[in-house]
Amino acid sequence: GPEPGMLSATMTDRRNPALTRKIPVKSQLRALIEQGIANLRAQGVLPADLATPDFVVERPKDRSHGDFATNAAMTLARPAKSNPRAIAQALIDALPQNDDIGAIEIAGPGFLNFRLSRNAWQRQLRAVHAEGARYGRNASGRGRVAGVEYVSANPTGPLHVGHGRAAAIGDCIARVLDANGWAVKREFYYNDAGVQIENLTKSTQARARGLGPGSEGWSEDFYQGHYIADVAKAYLDGASIEVDGQVITGARDPENTDEIRRFAVAYLRREQNLDLEAFRVSFDVYYLESSLYRDGKVEEAVRELIAHGHTYEEGGALWLKSTDFGDDKDRVMRKSDGTYTYFVPDVAYHLTKWQRGYERAITELGADHHGSLARVKAGLQALDCGIPQGWPEYVLHQMVTVMRDGETVKFSKRAGSYVTLRDLIDETGADAVRWFLIARKPDSQLVFDIDLARSQSLDNPVYYVQLSHARTFGVLRKMAERGLSFDLEAGLSQPIDIADPIVRDVLIDLSRWPEIVEQAGIDLEPHQIATYLVELAQAFQRYYNANIFLVDDADTRNARLALGFAVQRVLANGLELLGVSAPEEMFFADTDGAETA
């Protein structure tokens, strides 16, 4: 709800309502059913040695069927040597008395449908206000360390929209894991060694020599974007670049290859950092691939693999017996020319994560990296150092197609060959870009519609959710203009009309939020948060349209605002997990054309 002191002239909260129960209703129901089963064993209805069956407690898809349902009676029918509906009635009779349950019905072949009491819903509403920004968070991670690696772009150019999707997904996974009680470390791995960096160096050097696309001596393999000319000009001007606490200054010499390499990498790392800052993405750890070679980590990993007998030499090359660990064929680690294949530093890098205490290591990558995952996992298993089989975990995202005016947008004037993340942020704003890049399951293709993302219409989901968040604040401002007040405690004390399906829908959606946070963390799918927020906003808009908030009757006004600010609180909590702003004021056109705050 509203924070203390906010619009204090028009709002009072006589006391901070204490949350009486923090155990989710779903868990309470499970415990209640387990006690009922124990009572049936004690009564001789069930065998005394019968283990509690693996029953489910879930929310019915059709809300008219109740608030929760269980198949417990159906799992007990056979051991009880009874028909499911009969055992369902026996289970109802054996359940301990509980004031949270308003009614229990037997449905179909023996399902039990539970309807919660008004007191349970009143307490749920109080819980949202009492916990505030903490509502929905849990401690299931128990403070264990989870490393989340994402973006990890080569420092060879501006971030493209695919990097943007990786940034949005990875950052939101980190936020969701944090909400589930994990100690999260956000990590960016720079591929600052290898062929791409050499190509960057040669491209920048050619530009510094005055060459460009079409010039004699210009290679088609060079990076074609205009940004390379910007890097070369800054180098020749002697510009100073600060990155990772180091200042690197352009040496002005177009023939000094080493200095060009250092400067170009630093310049583009800074550019990428600025793009990510504009996208509200930050990291705790920046890890350089080059450091794996400099610090001997690659050699250390190779020595360990050889020592454990999981390699062999053939044709002048060193091979990993990756087929012993589920790969479809053995893989070359060190080529006959002495250089390592690209998956070897990946193994060394992930070994450092294990050594740094990452109980979970989650890597967000483009789907085009899929082929290398098995060999990295095989290499980690072959190290025989205690790394679990499912470690690390991978989240792969599919490509993004950008559309404007119904046509595909294929490239940026600056980058030359692709749409940059900065282009999208400049056109639509960070909120819309983050939402649209996170709103679908990562492994699904995604179409980014610039026109929809820019629109201030209810068809735009991020605008719709933000407007729903701002609405109750708008009511509060109008109340202040009329000299009306809002008393939260009085509102929470009013009986809730749970017979009203519109009210009940809002309450049900509010109560789902902790389950959504937990499931999104389990599945590593933050799009579940976005889907839920739209559903909650829709439920609230139906309630808002069906009820007048600015009424003279204080009890009615307080009750409606108490529910409205509970929705506002949960929407704010959800938007925070997506890294999207939660404005308290927005403007839109009413049906009569008037501008309304």
Side-chain angles (χ1 to χ4, degrees):
E3 300 296 334
M6 184 177 60
L7 296 171
S8 56
T10 61
M11 168 192 157
T12 57
D13 181 359
R14 288 201 294 268
R15 66 181 179 85
N16 182 23
L19 175 62
T20 54
R21 296 183 190 176
K22 288 193 176 182
I23 303 171
V25 175
K26 195 172 179 180
S27 300
Q28 292 182 54
L29 280 176
R30 173 170 286 280
L32 206 66
I33 293 164
E34 288 173 349
Q35 183 58 53
I37 292 171
N39 291 342
L40 289 178
R41 281 196 293 259
Q43 295 166 13
V45 176
L46 293 173
D49 59 352
L50 177 69
T52 301
D54 186 20
F55 63 89
V56 297
V57 177
E58 59 190 0
R59 295 179 183 270
K61 290 180 181 176
D62 185 341
R63 292 184 178 181
S64 68
H65 293 169
D67 300 315
F68 289 93
T70 182
N71 65 341
M74 297 163 71
T75 66
L76 294 168
R78 178 171 292 178
K81 297 179 180 176
S82 175
N83 75 68
R85 289 183 66 90
I87 202 70
Q89 185 58 57
L91 183 56
I92 290 173
D93 295 339
L95 291 175
Q97 179 63 34
N98 190 288
D99 292 339
D100 286 350
I101 298 175
I104 310 174
E105 302 154 2
I106 302 173
F111 290 103
L112 292 184
N113 290 343
F114 294 85
R115 296 183 189 276
L116 302 185
S117 66
R118 178 182 283 113
N119 285 343
W121 287 120
Q122 297 270 177
R123 192 162 52 248
Q124 176 67 50
L125 191 57
R126 280 189 179 275
V128 177
H129 285 285
E131 295 192 45
R134 300 186 315 279
Y135 178 65
R137 302 179 75 89
N138 66 72
S140 60
R142 301 194 303 280
R144 292 170 293 170
V145 178
V148 185
E149 177 203 339
Y150 49 105
V151 184
S152 298
N154 299 331
T156 54
L159 297 178
H160 56 61
V161 65
H163 295 133
R165 192 174 191 192
I169 293 169
D171 183 60
C172 291
I173 284 174
R175 290 167 184 258
V176 169
L177 287 175
D178 177 73
N180 281 288
W182 289 85
V184 180
K185 299 291 185 184
R186 297 160 169 85
E187 190 150 341
F188 192 120
Y189 177 64
Y190 275 111
N191 295 106
D192 66 333
V195 175
Q196 297 97 331
I197 300 303
E198 288 311 305
N199 199 16
L200 169 67
T201 304
K202 292 174 182 176
S203 305
T204 306
Q205 186 170 44
R207 287 283 194 177
R209 290 169 172 166
L211 305 180
S215 303
E216 186 178 348
W218 181 269
S219 170
E220 287 302 310
D221 293 333
F222 290 170
Y223 291 109
Q224 307 293 316
H226 187 73
Y227 69 91
I228 295 293
D230 296 337
V231 177
K233 182 178 184 304
Y235 173 79
L236 293 173
D237 288 345
S240 293
I241 306 297
E242 183 175 351
V243 63
D244 283 354
Q246 287 186 311
V247 176
I248 296 172
T249 301
R252 302 174 185 265
D253 180 2
E255 304 309 316
N256 192 329
T257 307
D258 289 340
E259 284 299 314
I260 290 173
R261 180 188 299 106
R262 288 180 69 238
F263 184 85
V265 168
Y267 184 102
L268 289 167
R269 282 187 62 191
R270 186 189 65 175
E271 286 291 296
Q272 291 181 354
N273 289 346
L274 291 172
D275 288 348
L276 291 168
E277 185 180 325
F279 203 41
R280 305 180 196 135
V281 171
S282 61
F283 293 89
D284 305 304
V285 179
Y286 290 93
Y287 204 102
L288 302 181
E289 180 186 0
S290 58
S291 73
L292 293 168
Y293 294 95
R294 185 184 68 239
D295 299 341
K297 294 294 185 182
V298 174
E299 289 292 343
E300 174 193 331
V302 172
R303 278 198 309 271
E304 286 297 310
L305 290 169
I306 293 171
H308 286 91
H310 297 304
T311 64
Y312 61 91
E313 295 206 27
E314 184 179 288
L318 180 67
W319 294 71
L320 175 68
K321 298 177 185 176
S322 51
T323 49
D324 290 350
F325 302 94
D327 201 0
D328 59 347
K329 61 181 179 180
D330 291 345
R331 304 289 177 174
V332 174
M333 293 173 55
R334 188 173 58 222
K335 293 180 281 188
S336 56
D337 64 3
T339 61
Y340 290 111
T341 54
Y342 68 92
F343 88 93
V344 177
D346 282 352
V347 172
Y349 169 52
H350 279 88
L351 176 60
T352 74
K353 290 185 182 181
W354 181 253
Q355 294 166 337
R356 285 181 275 149
Y358 287 11
E359 187 158 337
R360 290 180 77 180
I362 297 151
T363 303
E364 206 290 339
L365 292 168
D368 56 324
H369 290 269
H370 181 270
S372 66
L373 308 186
R375 67 201 70 166
V376 172
K377 285 192 172 186
L380 292 169
Q381 290 299 299
L383 288 166
D384 294 333
C385 62
I387 293 176
Q389 279 198 351
W391 195 101
E393 302 164 70
Y394 289 101
V395 176
L396 303 181
H397 70 264
Q398 290 288 348
M399 64 179 291
V400 181
T401 302
V402 181
M403 304 286 291
R404 185 197 288 113
D405 298 327
E407 300 202 355
T408 302
V409 181
K410 293 187 177 177
F411 57 86
S412 154
K413 289 179 182 176
R414 180 163 170 258
S417 58
Y418 54 83
V419 179
T420 68
L421 175 60
R422 183 59 69 93
D423 289 336
L424 286 187
I425 293 172
D426 289 346
E427 282 213 47
T428 65
D431 283 341
V433 178
R434 287 188 67 107
W435 181 285
F436 275 70
L437 292 181
I438 200 66
R440 295 197 64 190
K441 193 173 180 179
D443 63 6
S444 64
Q445 300 281 335
L446 189 147
V447 174
F448 190 106
D449 186 333
I450 288 176
D451 301 314
L452 178 60
R454 286 174 57 106
S455 71
Q456 293 191 341
S457 75
L458 300 186
D459 293 328
N460 180 349
V462 63
Y463 179 82
Y464 184 76
V465 170
Q466 288 177 319
L467 178 65
S468 300
H469 175 270
R471 275 231 144 117
T472 314
F473 288 109
V475 172
L476 211 56
R477 283 189 290 272
K478 290 178 182 177
M479 282 173 48
E481 293 168 6
R482 299 188 189 186
L484 299 173
S485 64
F486 167 43
D487 187 324
L488 175 60
E489 174 55 29
L492 291 172
S493 300
Q494 294 301 311
I496 298 174
D497 183 9
I498 60 173
D500 182 343
I502 296 177
V503 173
R504 198 178 187 91
D505 274 349
V506 175
L507 292 168
I508 289 171
D509 283 330
L510 288 172
S511 72
R512 288 171 55 215
W513 174 236
E515 299 165 32
I516 296 294
V517 175
E518 184 175 25
Q519 198 60 50
I522 291 169
D523 298 337
L524 301 179
E525 292 182 350
H527 74 280
Q528 294 180 22
I529 305 289
T531 301
Y532 164 83
L533 292 179
V534 172
E535 291 169 355
L536 176 60
Q538 289 170 337
F540 175 66
Q541 292 291 357
R542 287 192 293 270
Y543 178 74
Y544 182 87
N545 293 334
N547 295 278
I548 299 172
F549 280 55
L550 290 173
V551 293
D552 291 330
D553 182 69
D555 288 344
T556 302
R557 187 173 68 244
N558 288 328
R560 289 174 181 170
L561 278 167
L563 186 59
F565 271 118
V567 172
Q568 172 269 319
R569 178 69 266 170
V570 175
L571 289 175
N573 291 357
L575 289 167
E576 169 65 23
L577 293 189
L578 298 185
V580 174
S581 68
E584 295 180 9
E585 186 172 6
M586 293 180 73
F587 293 89
F588 66 99
D590 267 345
T591 51
D592 62 1
E595 289 295 314
T596 308

